[in-house]
Amino acid sequence: MMIDFRIRAAEVLKIEAEAVAQLHQYLDDDFNQACQLIFDSKGKTIVTGMGKSGHIGNKIAATLASTGTPAFFVHPGEASHGDLGMLSGDDVVIAISNSGETAEVLTIIPVIKRLGIKLIAMTSNAKSTLAKLADAHLCVKVEQEACPLGLAPTASTTATLAMGDALAVALLDARGFSADDFALSHPGGSLGRKLLLRLEDIMHTGEQVPVVPQAATIKDALLEISKKGLGMTAVVNANGILVGIFTDGDLRRILDKRFDIHSNTIDEVMTSHCITAKPEMLAAEALQIMQQKKINGMIIVNAAAHPIGAMNMHDLLRAGVL
């Protein structure tokens, strides 16, 4: 018998979407208070929760940490057996429990209070023990779970996760957290590479930079291109200042012309006024320029227009920018 699983799936998505949509009614003074407690904290934000709430709490802690709020997750069971030593009086604790009566969470509250740590509760019951003990209560109540049995946490965990995102993004905005700040905590991701990686981090330098004097023959330039393997060479004058570039593409363009590679000099066939870059330029910006200009490599120069580096598309590819 063929079952159309999409019918139940559509119901689940509808219920969970409605659960998130109705959360705006709980953005009250307590929400502002919770944000202010975290914003003013000189310590870290510790998130705790048991079971499914713990899994959601782990993600909330990760989101906070990656958006400018130092945070980590502590399992309430482990907290009762030594991990509470991670907490200090400057910290803020976010305790998650749908019922607000989770025993493992309530067990550690007296210690949190004794340490003078501010407590934010995320529950569906404002009259619960956890909510009453908290300095701020974030309500995540939902009308129904998406589970037809009403047993498995589904819509409630989705709502809790969304409330955590609201908290994190509100704090991000208040801190003036930027894309560059985000990249610093994501150096291994594509965004980090685009926002952090500069040409000075990937360019070839020193003896690896292909350079010939403008009086060199075309043959000398070809030998330099082959030796350095970047598909191009910089051309400099007697003062070491860049005056042009000669690439594999330039070679193909002069093949049908009457040039003697042994006698004609490179300044007769080079590309003058070539596109250059500074070492501090973002690799992503260099990639955009290269794609727009349809070139495969660039010479990197210093303030005096001396070639100090070179890079091509293969370098961007290896760096993960392309």
Short mmCIF file of all heavy atoms in Angstrom, two decimals, residues 93-131:
data_model
loop_
_atom_site.label_atom_id
_atom_site.label_comp_id
_atom_site.label_asym_id
_atom_site.label_seq_id
_atom_site.Cartn_x
_atom_site.Cartn_y
_atom_site.Cartn_z
N VAL A 93 22.86 32.71 33.12
CA VAL A 93 22.42 31.36 32.78
C VAL A 93 21.05 31.42 32.10
O VAL A 93 20.14 32.12 32.57
CB VAL A 93 22.33 30.45 34.02
CG1 VAL A 93 21.60 29.14 33.70
CG2 VAL A 93 23.72 30.15 34.54
N ILE A 94 20.94 30.71 30.98
CA ILE A 94 19.64 30.51 30.32
C ILE A 94 19.26 29.06 30.57
O ILE A 94 19.92 28.14 30.09
CB ILE A 94 19.70 30.79 28.81
CG1 ILE A 94 20.11 32.23 28.53
CG2 ILE A 94 18.35 30.49 28.17
CD1 ILE A 94 20.29 32.53 27.04
N ALA A 95 18.21 28.85 31.34
CA ALA A 95 17.74 27.49 31.65
C ALA A 95 16.48 27.20 30.85
O ALA A 95 15.50 27.95 30.92
CB ALA A 95 17.47 27.36 33.15
N ILE A 96 16.51 26.10 30.10
CA ILE A 96 15.39 25.75 29.22
C ILE A 96 14.67 24.51 29.75
O ILE A 96 15.29 23.48 30.01
CB ILE A 96 15.89 25.48 27.79
CG1 ILE A 96 16.69 26.67 27.26
CG2 ILE A 96 14.72 25.18 26.86
CD1 ILE A 96 17.36 26.41 25.93
N SER A 97 13.37 24.65 29.92
CA SER A 97 12.53 23.51 30.33
C SER A 97 11.11 23.83 29.90
O SER A 97 10.54 24.84 30.32
CB SER A 97 12.58 23.32 31.85
OG SER A 97 11.57 22.44 32.28
N ASN A 98 10.54 23.01 29.05
CA ASN A 98 9.21 23.29 28.55
C ASN A 98 8.19 23.39 29.69
O ASN A 98 7.39 24.31 29.76
CB ASN A 98 8.78 22.22 27.55
CG ASN A 98 7.47 22.57 26.85
OD1 ASN A 98 7.29 23.71 26.42
ND2 ASN A 98 6.57 21.61 26.74
N SER A 99 8.27 22.46 30.62
CA SER A 99 7.34 22.46 31.75
C SER A 99 7.75 23.44 32.83
O SER A 99 6.93 23.92 33.61
CB SER A 99 7.26 21.06 32.36
OG SER A 99 8.50 20.71 32.96
N GLY A 100 9.04 23.72 32.91
CA GLY A 100 9.55 24.56 33.98
C GLY A 100 9.72 23.80 35.28
O GLY A 100 9.98 24.39 36.33
N GLU A 101 9.60 22.48 35.20
CA GLU A 101 9.68 21.64 36.40
C GLU A 101 10.71 20.52 36.25
O GLU A 101 10.71 19.58 37.05
CB GLU A 101 8.31 21.03 36.71
CG GLU A 101 7.18 22.03 36.88
CD GLU A 101 7.35 22.93 38.11
OE1 GLU A 101 8.17 22.59 39.00
OE2 GLU A 101 6.68 23.99 38.17
N THR A 102 11.57 20.61 35.27
CA THR A 102 12.57 19.56 35.05
C THR A 102 13.49 19.43 36.25
O THR A 102 14.19 20.39 36.62
CB THR A 102 13.40 19.86 33.78
OG1 THR A 102 12.51 20.03 32.67
CG2 THR A 102 14.37 18.73 33.49
N ALA A 103 13.52 18.26 36.85
CA ALA A 103 14.24 18.06 38.11
C ALA A 103 15.73 18.37 37.99
O ALA A 103 16.31 19.02 38.87
CB ALA A 103 14.03 16.61 38.59
N GLU A 104 16.35 17.89 36.91
CA GLU A 104 17.79 18.08 36.77
C GLU A 104 18.17 19.56 36.67
O GLU A 104 19.24 19.97 37.12
CB GLU A 104 18.31 17.34 35.52
CG GLU A 104 18.24 15.84 35.60
CD GLU A 104 16.89 15.28 35.16
OE1 GLU A 104 15.93 16.06 34.99
OE2 GLU A 104 16.81 14.04 34.98
N VAL A 105 17.28 20.35 36.07
CA VAL A 105 17.52 21.78 35.95
C VAL A 105 17.28 22.47 37.29
O VAL A 105 18.09 23.29 37.74
CB VAL A 105 16.63 22.40 34.86
CG1 VAL A 105 16.79 23.92 34.83
CG2 VAL A 105 16.98 21.81 33.49
N LEU A 106 16.19 22.14 37.93
CA LEU A 106 15.86 22.78 39.21
C LEU A 106 16.91 22.49 40.29
O LEU A 106 17.15 23.31 41.17
CB LEU A 106 14.49 22.32 39.69
CG LEU A 106 13.29 22.78 38.85
CD1 LEU A 106 12.00 22.23 39.42
CD2 LEU A 106 13.22 24.31 38.77
N THR A 107 17.56 21.33 40.19
CA THR A 107 18.56 20.95 41.18
C THR A 107 19.73 21.93 41.24
O THR A 107 20.30 22.18 42.31
CB THR A 107 19.09 19.53 40.87
OG1 THR A 107 18.02 18.59 40.98
CG2 THR A 107 20.21 19.13 41.83
N ILE A 108 20.09 22.51 40.10
CA ILE A 108 21.27 23.39 40.07
C ILE A 108 20.92 24.86 40.30
O ILE A 108 21.82 25.69 40.44
CB ILE A 108 22.03 23.24 38.74
CG1 ILE A 108 21.17 23.69 37.55
CG2 ILE A 108 22.50 21.81 38.55
CD1 ILE A 108 21.91 23.68 36.22
N ILE A 109 19.63 25.19 40.35
CA ILE A 109 19.24 26.59 40.52
C ILE A 109 19.72 27.19 41.85
O ILE A 109 20.21 28.32 41.86
CB ILE A 109 17.70 26.75 40.38
CG1 ILE A 109 17.25 26.28 38.99
CG2 ILE A 109 17.30 28.20 40.60
CD1 ILE A 109 17.93 26.96 37.83
N PRO A 110 19.63 26.46 42.98
CA PRO A 110 20.12 27.05 44.23
C PRO A 110 21.58 27.48 44.18
O PRO A 110 21.95 28.52 44.73
CB PRO A 110 19.90 25.93 45.25
CG PRO A 110 18.76 25.14 44.70
CD PRO A 110 18.97 25.16 43.22
N VAL A 111 22.42 26.69 43.50
CA VAL A 111 23.83 27.04 43.38
C VAL A 111 24.00 28.28 42.51
O VAL A 111 24.80 29.17 42.80
CB VAL A 111 24.64 25.86 42.79
CG1 VAL A 111 26.11 26.24 42.66
CG2 VAL A 111 24.48 24.63 43.66
N ILE A 112 23.22 28.33 41.43
CA ILE A 112 23.27 29.50 40.54
C ILE A 112 22.89 30.76 41.32
O ILE A 112 23.54 31.80 41.21
CB ILE A 112 22.32 29.28 39.33
CG1 ILE A 112 22.88 28.19 38.42
CG2 ILE A 112 22.14 30.58 38.55
CD1 ILE A 112 21.93 27.75 37.33
N LYS A 113 21.85 30.65 42.13
CA LYS A 113 21.41 31.78 42.95
C LYS A 113 22.46 32.17 43.98
O LYS A 113 22.72 33.35 44.23
CB LYS A 113 20.09 31.44 43.64
CG LYS A 113 18.89 31.34 42.72
CD LYS A 113 18.56 32.72 42.16
CE LYS A 113 17.28 32.72 41.36
NZ LYS A 113 16.91 34.08 40.88
N ARG A 114 23.08 31.16 44.60
CA ARG A 114 24.08 31.43 45.63
C ARG A 114 25.29 32.16 45.04
O ARG A 114 25.93 32.97 45.72
CB ARG A 114 24.52 30.12 46.28
CG ARG A 114 25.45 30.31 47.48
CD ARG A 114 25.71 28.99 48.17
NE ARG A 114 24.46 28.39 48.67
CZ ARG A 114 24.39 27.18 49.22
NH1 ARG A 114 25.48 26.43 49.33
NH2 ARG A 114 23.23 26.73 49.66
N LEU A 115 25.62 31.86 43.80
CA LEU A 115 26.74 32.51 43.13
C LEU A 115 26.40 33.92 42.65
O LEU A 115 27.25 34.65 42.17
CB LEU A 115 27.20 31.67 41.93
CG LEU A 115 27.89 30.33 42.25
CD1 LEU A 115 28.10 29.53 40.98
CD2 LEU A 115 29.23 30.59 42.94
N GLY A 116 25.12 34.29 42.77
CA GLY A 116 24.70 35.62 42.34
C GLY A 116 24.59 35.76 40.83
O GLY A 116 24.64 36.86 40.28
N ILE A 117 24.42 34.62 40.16
CA ILE A 117 24.32 34.61 38.70
C ILE A 117 22.89 34.92 38.28
O ILE A 117 21.93 34.38 38.84
CB ILE A 117 24.75 33.24 38.15
CG1 ILE A 117 26.24 33.00 38.47
CG2 ILE A 117 24.50 33.15 36.65
CD1 ILE A 117 26.71 31.61 38.12
N LYS A 118 22.75 35.80 37.30
CA LYS A 118 21.43 36.13 36.79
C LYS A 118 20.87 34.94 36.00
O LYS A 118 21.59 34.28 35.24
CB LYS A 118 21.48 37.37 35.90
CG LYS A 118 21.92 38.63 36.63
CD LYS A 118 20.96 38.98 37.76
CE LYS A 118 21.37 40.28 38.46
NZ LYS A 118 20.45 40.61 39.58
N LEU A 119 19.57 34.70 36.17
CA LEU A 119 18.93 33.53 35.56
C LEU A 119 17.81 33.94 34.61
O LEU A 119 16.92 34.70 34.97
CB LEU A 119 18.36 32.63 36.66
CG LEU A 119 17.56 31.41 36.20
CD1 LEU A 119 18.45 30.42 35.45
CD2 LEU A 119 16.91 30.72 37.41
N ILE A 120 17.89 33.41 33.41
CA ILE A 120 16.83 33.58 32.40
C ILE A 120 16.20 32.21 32.17
O ILE A 120 16.91 31.24 31.90
CB ILE A 120 17.40 34.12 31.08
CG1 ILE A 120 18.05 35.50 31.29
CG2 ILE A 120 16.30 34.21 30.01
CD1 ILE A 120 18.88 35.97 30.11
N ALA A 121 14.89 32.14 32.30
CA ALA A 121 14.19 30.88 32.08
C ALA A 121 13.45 30.92 30.75
O ALA A 121 12.87 31.95 30.38
CB ALA A 121 13.20 30.62 33.21
N MET A 122 13.46 29.80 30.03
CA MET A 122 12.67 29.64 28.82
C MET A 122 11.74 28.46 29.06
O MET A 122 12.17 27.31 29.06
CB MET A 122 13.57 29.40 27.60
CG MET A 122 14.43 30.60 27.23
SD MET A 122 15.48 30.31 25.78
CE MET A 122 14.25 30.26 24.48
N THR A 123 10.46 28.75 29.29
CA THR A 123 9.48 27.70 29.55
C THR A 123 8.16 28.05 28.87
O THR A 123 7.98 29.16 28.37
CB THR A 123 9.21 27.54 31.07
OG1 THR A 123 8.25 28.52 31.48
CG2 THR A 123 10.47 27.68 31.91
N SER A 124 7.24 27.12 28.92
CA SER A 124 5.90 27.38 28.37
C SER A 124 4.92 27.73 29.48
O SER A 124 3.74 27.95 29.23
CB SER A 124 5.40 26.15 27.61
OG SER A 124 5.25 25.05 28.50
N ASN A 125 5.42 27.79 30.72
CA ASN A 125 4.54 28.01 31.87
C ASN A 125 5.11 29.10 32.76
O ASN A 125 6.07 28.89 33.51
CB ASN A 125 4.37 26.72 32.67
CG ASN A 125 3.40 26.85 33.81
OD1 ASN A 125 2.80 27.91 34.03
ND2 ASN A 125 3.21 25.77 34.55
N ALA A 126 4.50 30.28 32.70
CA ALA A 126 4.99 31.42 33.48
C ALA A 126 4.81 31.22 34.98
O ALA A 126 5.42 31.94 35.78
CB ALA A 126 4.27 32.69 33.04
N LYS A 127 3.99 30.25 35.37
CA LYS A 127 3.75 29.99 36.80
C LYS A 127 4.57 28.82 37.32
O LYS A 127 4.41 28.39 38.47
CB LYS A 127 2.27 29.74 37.03
CG LYS A 127 1.39 30.94 36.71
CD LYS A 127 -0.08 30.64 36.99
CE LYS A 127 -0.95 31.86 36.68
NZ LYS A 127 -2.39 31.60 36.93
N SER A 128 5.45 28.29 36.47
CA SER A 128 6.26 27.14 36.88
C SER A 128 7.32 27.56 37.88
O SER A 128 7.62 28.74 38.07
CB SER A 128 6.94 26.52 35.65
OG SER A 128 7.85 27.45 35.08
N THR A 129 7.91 26.57 38.55
CA THR A 129 8.95 26.82 39.55
C THR A 129 10.13 27.55 38.93
O THR A 129 10.64 28.53 39.49
CB THR A 129 9.43 25.50 40.17
OG1 THR A 129 8.32 24.81 40.73
CG2 THR A 129 10.47 25.75 41.25
N LEU A 130 10.59 27.08 37.76
CA LEU A 130 11.75 27.70 37.10
C LEU A 130 11.45 29.13 36.72
O LEU A 130 12.29 30.03 36.91
CB LEU A 130 12.13 26.88 35.86
CG LEU A 130 13.36 27.37 35.08
CD1 LEU A 130 14.59 27.39 35.97
CD2 LEU A 130 13.59 26.49 33.85
N ALA A 131 10.26 29.38 36.18
CA ALA A 131 9.90 30.74 35.76
C ALA A 131 9.87 31.70 36.94
O ALA A 131 10.32 32.85 36.85
CB ALA A 131 8.55 30.72 35.06
#
